């Protein structure tokens, strides 16, 4: 499947919940810091498909992104787990290393599905990122990561990922017991989709390829700008329907 075959739609159940984008347009896919309102992850992406059922975005290799690191410059993943979520942080710009990633998200669903490839377009795996349902605004979509994830292999086997970080986030006070149980429940629903081999796993996205004419999106200076209040109200109304399994 090529970019030309990914048709955009307008209309549908969530057509009024926020802006819509055409294939090839650029958006920002952002995440708020846990336990606060500040944005600490921003990834410029190219829209592949945007319909009432699915938003698909492509992050090309070498894309300049924003990510968090500790205030002393230590990469987050290299900090011991006991202090990973308590030491001061800052945001830095960094290029996305390795091959690109395709992200798929359905409206109101508390996870997105990411596809990874090895060099030469050999498919590697799906990655279910548990998170808040995406909120649209004029420049892209916002969410908050929920630490716990699921890896799904080409043979349809799966496993939980980052359970240690999920537990540590609770100990650090970034997630209370009630929210942790909601995240676990969302993860169990995602596993049910995997076991049934439902969408998007069955939809053939492993064979997708980006349009070679697409240019790599640039990271804007105001990557952390706040959505207008009217945009936020629209996004909130779109999330009110709750997650769909």
């Amino acid at each position: 499947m090529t970019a030309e075959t990914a048709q955009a739609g307008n209309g549908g159940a969530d057509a009024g919940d926020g802006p819509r984008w055409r294939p090839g347009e650029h958006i920002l896919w952002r995440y708020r810091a846990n336990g606060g309102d500040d944005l600490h992850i921003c990834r410029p992406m190219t829209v592949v498909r945007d319909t009432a059922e699915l938003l698909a975005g492509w992050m090309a290799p070498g894309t300049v992104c924003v990510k968090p690191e500790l205030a002393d410059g230590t990469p987050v993943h290299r900090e011991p787990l006991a202090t990973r979520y308590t030491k001061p942080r800052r945001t830095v710009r960094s290029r996305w290393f390795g091959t690109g990633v395709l992200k798929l998200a359905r409206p109101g669903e508390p996870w997105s599905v990411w596809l990874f490839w090895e060099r030469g377009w050999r498919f590697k795996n799906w990655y279910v990122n548990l998170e808040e349902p995406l909120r649209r605004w004029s420049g892209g979509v916002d969410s908050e990561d929920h630490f716990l994830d699921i890896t799904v292999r080409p043979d349809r086997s799966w496993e939980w990922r980052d359970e240690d970080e999920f537990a540590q986030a609770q100990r650090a006070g970034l997630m209370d017991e009630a929210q942790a149980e909601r995240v676990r429940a969302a993860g169990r629903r995602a596993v049910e989709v995997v076991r049934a081999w439902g969408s998007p796993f069955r939809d053939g996205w492993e064979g997708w390829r980006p349009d070679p004419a697409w240019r790599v999106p640039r990271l804007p200076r105001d990557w952390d700008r706040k959505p207008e209040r009217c945009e936020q109200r629209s996004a909130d109304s779109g999330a009110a329907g709750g997650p769909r399994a």
Side-chain angles (χ1 to χ4, degrees):
M1 183 164 57
T2 64
E4 285 82 1
T5 65
Q7 298 298 320
N10 287 303
D14 69 336
D17 294 340
R20 285 300 179 87
W21 302 287
R22 296 184 300 272
E25 288 191 287
H26 296 165
I27 62 172
L28 301 179
W29 198 300
R30 311 187 302 183
Y31 289 90
R32 296 184 301 278
N34 300 91
D37 294 326
D38 292 336
L39 295 157
H40 72 155
I41 293 175
C42 180
R43 295 166 181 161
M45 305 187 73
T46 302
V47 173
V48 175
R49 178 184 297 178
D50 187 17
T51 70
E53 292 77 32
L54 182 76
L55 172 64
W58 166 247
M59 184 166 59
T63 300
V64 176
C65 305
V66 173
K67 68 176 184 179
E69 68 176 17
L70 298 190
D72 63 4
T74 301
V76 171
H77 69 278
R78 292 185 179 176
E79 177 67 19
L81 192 61
T83 53
R84 188 172 299 173
Y85 302 121
T86 56
K87 286 190 174 181
R89 295 188 179 192
R90 65 186 182 188
T91 57
V92 295
R93 298 188 179 208
S94 176
R95 291 188 182 274
W96 183 261
F97 59 88
T99 58
V101 57
L102 178 68
K103 295 187 179 187
L104 310 174
R106 295 195 296 180
E109 206 159 50
W111 65 78
S112 57
V113 178
W114 305 0
L115 284 79
F116 291 91
W117 289 266
E118 304 282 7
R119 294 189 182 278
W121 286 102
R122 185 171 67 87
F123 183 64
K124 182 179 180 182
N125 65 273
W126 294 270
Y127 189 85
V128 181
N129 195 70
L130 297 174
E131 59 189 39
E132 283 190 2
L134 297 181
R135 293 185 174 186
R136 291 172 177 256
W137 58 287
S138 61
V141 291
D142 291 351
S143 182
E144 181 178 305
D145 185 78
H146 286 161
F147 301 99
L148 190 63
D149 306 297
I150 304 166
T151 293
V152 183
R153 303 180 187 88
D155 64 1
R156 302 190 183 186
S157 62
W158 61 274
E159 65 177 342
W160 295 105
R161 292 289 303 273
D162 303 324
E163 291 185 279
D164 56 344
E165 295 187 354
F166 183 61
Q168 185 62 34
Q170 295 170 63
R171 289 191 288 269
L174 297 179
M175 183 177 295
D176 61 26
E177 184 177 350
Q179 184 183 14
E181 178 49 40
R182 289 194 296 270
V183 173
R184 273 287 186 189
R188 290 191 290 268
R189 292 197 300 273
V191 167
E192 291 175 3
V193 176
V194 173
R195 286 173 170 164
W197 211 241
S199 183
F201 304 100
R202 68 186 180 200
D203 297 336
W205 285 101
E206 317 92 278
W208 175 85
R209 300 292 183 267
D211 187 329
W214 285 347
R215 60 181 177 83
V216 177
R218 294 182 178 180
L219 179 71
R221 292 183 179 179
D222 60 345
W223 63 267
D224 57 348
R225 64 189 182 275
K226 300 294 184 182
E228 296 294 334
R229 187 171 300 176
C230 59
E231 293 177 340
Q232 192 63 51
R233 285 199 301 267
S234 177
D236 290 341
S237 67
R244 299 189 308 182

